Every structure is written in structure tokens, then in C-alpha cells.
Amino acid sequence: MWVGMGRIVLDFYGNTDGAKKRRLIDEFCADLRKQHFVSAREVADFDDLERCVIGISVVMPEDWNEARTRGLMEKIGDSVDRTAFARVTIEDYEITEFGGEPLASDETPYSESELKQFRKGPRRFLK
């Protein structure tokens, strides 16, 4: 599979309204998710009223190639440039191939005791 990760930094020069910033970011991320089927969320500078960092990720099937995945990330970047409500100061991304040969249906990376804990519920498994 191919994984694309990116970050967008927006500049809200002179902004003094935290609620407005949050609302605009939430709407912007929701639009990105709806238009491009990606994960998008504010990831840093939450308390800075004049700056916002949005993280984006996309997972593509292994029958795609790097160029096709890169094309999707560039399309997302173009969309951001057209629709951003604040000045885009940084827009970068990277793409990586993840995984390899899939496990056989009867193979698992977990021990039997880990599987038992996981079946009881993920919270117990993560402790």
C-alpha cells in the first residue's frame, strides 16, 4: 500500500478570535475529507490564534503506484491553495510504500496470549 502524509501551515495574521479560528479549521478539514477521502486534522499550534498546522494522510491500495499517489497529493495541495481561508505558508508532503508480502490467512504477528487479551477488548490489550 502507499501512504501519503502532508502538512499545511496557515497564517491568520491579526486574528484575535479563537472560536472563529476553530470553526474555520473544522469546516476546512471536513471539506478536505469530503472532497478527497483523506484524514485531515489540526495537529499543532492549537493556542496560537495566528497560525494553524493541519495534518493530512491518505492510504492507497498497493495496485496504485507512487506517481499516482503523488498526483493525488498534488491535487489535494491545489485544492488547498484554491479554497484555504487563510494564507498558506507551508505545504509539503511525502509518500512512502508500506508493508510487503501480506500474511497468510492463518498467520498473525501476535502471540496467542496477546490475541486473548485483544479479544477481551482493546483497552486491556494496550495497557
Side-chain angles (χ1 to χ4, degrees):
M1 88 177 101
W2 293 92
V3 180
M5 302 152 283
R7 105 184 132 142
I8 301 163
V9 179
L10 301 176
D11 178 31
F12 295 89
Y13 180 76
N15 181 49
T16 59
D17 188 348
K20 179 181 178 184
K21 174 191 171 191
R22 189 84 46 242
R23 182 179 48 80
L24 290 171
I25 291 168
D26 289 345
E27 290 172 3
F28 184 68
C29 289
D31 287 344
L32 286 175
R33 287 190 292 270
K34 190 164 108 177
Q35 290 175 15
H36 302 287
F37 303 105
V38 299
S39 294
R41 194 78 182 147
E42 184 178 16
V43 295
D45 296 335
F46 303 102
D47 296 330
D48 187 341
L49 297 178
E50 294 186 347
R51 180 180 155 96
C52 167
V53 181
I54 297 173
I56 295 176
S57 66
V58 61
V59 177
M60 303 313 296
E62 64 185 33
D63 62 344
W64 278 41
N65 58 30
E66 182 179 0
R68 195 168 169 192
T69 305
R70 186 172 306 284
L72 175 62
M73 294 300 287
E74 289 172 359
K75 181 179 174 183
I76 294 166
D78 291 343
S79 174
V80 166
D81 290 340
R82 284 191 320 274
T83 62
F85 53 90
R87 187 171 69 97
V88 178
T89 58
I90 298 174
E91 185 179 280
D92 58 357
Y93 65 90
E94 67 180 70
I95 296 169
T96 185
E97 188 173 15
F98 181 80
E101 291 297 315
L103 296 172
S105 60
D106 61 343
E107 291 180 316
T108 177
Y110 303 108
S111 70
E112 198 58 40
S113 64
E114 289 173 323
L115 287 173
K116 282 181 184 178
Q117 286 179 332
F118 188 70
R119 287 183 190 116
K120 290 179 182 178
R123 289 182 184 253
R124 291 185 183 140
F125 182 73
L126 295 173
K127 287 183 180 178

